[in-house]
């Protein structure tokens, strides 16, 4: 919304300026639904396993790699903060993950109701 209010069209990076791993994201997301992950293996053989059942819930899939994969990505929100007054830290990472999980659960519930 703030970008649309800008007087002239410009590109802005919308990011927190913080860096988090897929492992950290998955650990939090599963925790919000009551599942504790245990991480086993390394690199291409790393898996997130449900501690309670031993079932593999997260695994590396090379088909999702980008052609020019980079080790880390970190967005710089300085321009959006300075020109638009946007606060990239208004929603902490943990809260963002929680909201994403809640949204997915709501969508899942809607889809299940459609099946009835």
């Amino acid at each position: 919304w703030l970008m649309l209010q800008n007087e002239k069209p410009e590109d802005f990076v919308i990011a927190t300026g913080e860096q988090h791993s897929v492992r950290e994201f998955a650990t939090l997301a599963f925790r919000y639904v009551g599942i504790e992950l245990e991480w086993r293996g390394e690199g291409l053989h790393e898996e997130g396993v449900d501690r309670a059942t031993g079932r593999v819930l997260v695994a590396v899939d090379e088909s999702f790699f980008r052609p020019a994969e980079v080790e880390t990505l970190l967005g710089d929100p300085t321009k959006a903060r300075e020109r638009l007054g946007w606060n990239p830290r208004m929603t902490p990472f943990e809260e963002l993950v929680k909201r994403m999980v809640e949204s997915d659960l709501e969508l899942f519930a809607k889809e299940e109701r459609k099946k009835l």
Side-chain angles (χ1 to χ4, degrees), residues 39-115:
W39 294 94
R40 298 178 186 165
E42 292 181 13
L44 296 175
H45 305 288
E46 186 171 27
E47 298 175 327
V49 179
D50 181 343
R51 281 193 179 149
T53 66
R55 186 170 152 216
V56 175
L57 300 177
V58 181
V60 176
D61 185 338
E62 290 184 75
S63 69
F64 291 107
F65 286 9
R66 296 180 179 127
E69 190 67 46
V70 294
E71 283 297 312
T72 62
L73 295 171
L74 180 63
D76 180 0
T78 303
K79 181 179 174 183
R81 184 177 50 244
E82 291 175 354
R83 295 202 188 158
L84 303 175
W86 181 68
N87 179 358
R89 298 228 166 83
M90 195 166 126
T91 305
F93 176 71
E94 293 80 6
E95 178 65 22
L96 180 62
V97 174
K98 182 179 178 189
R99 289 182 187 186
M100 292 171 77
V101 169
E102 289 170 349
S103 177
D104 279 352
L105 291 173
E106 286 176 23
L107 287 173
F108 177 75
K110 285 180 187 177
E111 291 299 317
E112 287 300 303
R113 284 193 299 271
K114 285 181 186 178
K115 292 177 184 178

